[in-house]
Amino acid sequence: MSNAPLPSSFDGNYEFYEENRWQKFSRRLKEEPLIPLGCALTCWALLGATKSIRRGDHETTNRMFRARIYAQGFTLLCLVAGSYYYAEDRDKRKVFDGVKAEQRAKEKNEKWIRELEARDREDREERELRIRRLEKRTKSADEGKGDTTSGSVRSVLERSEVRRKGAVLAAVMELVKR
């Protein structure tokens, strides 16, 4: 079975998936406009109750507290209904975000490998240049002395550098495969 997300009506609309905080806030207000309305009604009831308490009007205070309870119940009902209604879209968004994060991680890994390959290539070129220089020195030293057995120029490279070509890339590829 494929891990790819199911097709959606939002597939062609990348602005739906890639949004900033303000865009998300405005989208959520448009999706569920009754929740902010319920919050506003609750605040209005609390404000009215506070004013009536200061005035000493107990009847209005009790009425406003009842209105607050009704407004909070309305808000809670809107939250539950909205969560059931938009659950599928939220699941699709989570799947999309996961795929997007996986894609970014894969791109980052590929860039890292390309960088290591470039460094490895540069190291190989530098080693080859050193070897060529060494060969030129040994040839010139051999030609100058005429006797090759009496003295020779020692290698600037260590044995491990000459034997192992592409060691960095091979080590990284081995780590990535694990």
Side-chain angles (χ1 to χ4, degrees), residues 12-76:
N13 187 1
Y14 294 106
E15 292 176 4
F16 176 76
Y17 293 110
E18 297 175 5
E19 59 189 1
N20 60 27
R21 289 182 181 164
W22 176 251
Q23 289 171 335
K24 181 178 180 177
F25 180 72
S26 62
R27 178 180 55 83
R28 295 298 294 264
L29 280 177
K30 290 175 187 172
E31 284 179 357
E32 302 179 44
L34 296 178
I35 293 173
L37 176 67
C39 291
L41 289 174
T42 303
C43 290
W44 173 76
L46 283 172
L47 184 63
T50 303
K51 286 181 180 179
S52 66
I53 286 174
R54 287 186 182 171
R55 281 186 303 216
D57 186 5
H58 297 290
E59 184 180 325
T60 307
T61 302
N62 284 333
R63 195 167 26 101
M64 291 310 255
F65 278 133
R66 281 189 213 112
R68 176 192 60 89
I69 291 170
Y70 295 141
Q72 284 179 328
F74 173 75
T75 305
L76 187 62

Side-chain angles (χ1 to χ4, degrees), residues 97-168:
D97 288 343
V99 168
K100 191 97 172 156
E102 191 176 300
Q103 199 174 37
R104 285 185 194 134
K106 189 181 284 186
E107 287 174 3
K108 184 178 179 182
N109 190 18
E110 289 172 359
K111 287 179 183 177
W112 183 54
I113 288 175
R114 280 192 300 250
E115 175 69 24
L116 289 174
E117 287 173 347
R119 287 182 183 184
D120 191 44
R121 204 175 315 116
E122 290 172 0
D123 286 345
R124 266 189 263 122
E125 290 171 359
E126 189 175 323
R127 279 190 216 115
E128 289 172 4
L129 182 63
R130 283 187 209 161
I131 290 171
R132 277 190 244 126
R133 287 180 186 165
L134 178 64
E135 288 172 356
K136 285 181 184 179
R137 287 181 192 161
T138 56
K139 283 182 184 178
S140 65
D142 289 344
E143 290 172 2
K145 291 188 177 184
D147 184 18
T148 58
T149 59
S150 63
S152 63
V153 178
R154 289 188 345 194
S155 172
V156 179
L157 300 175
E158 294 181 13
R159 290 181 184 168
S160 62
E161 287 181 334
V162 175
R163 284 188 210 150
R164 303 167 87 194
K165 291 188 178 180
V168 174

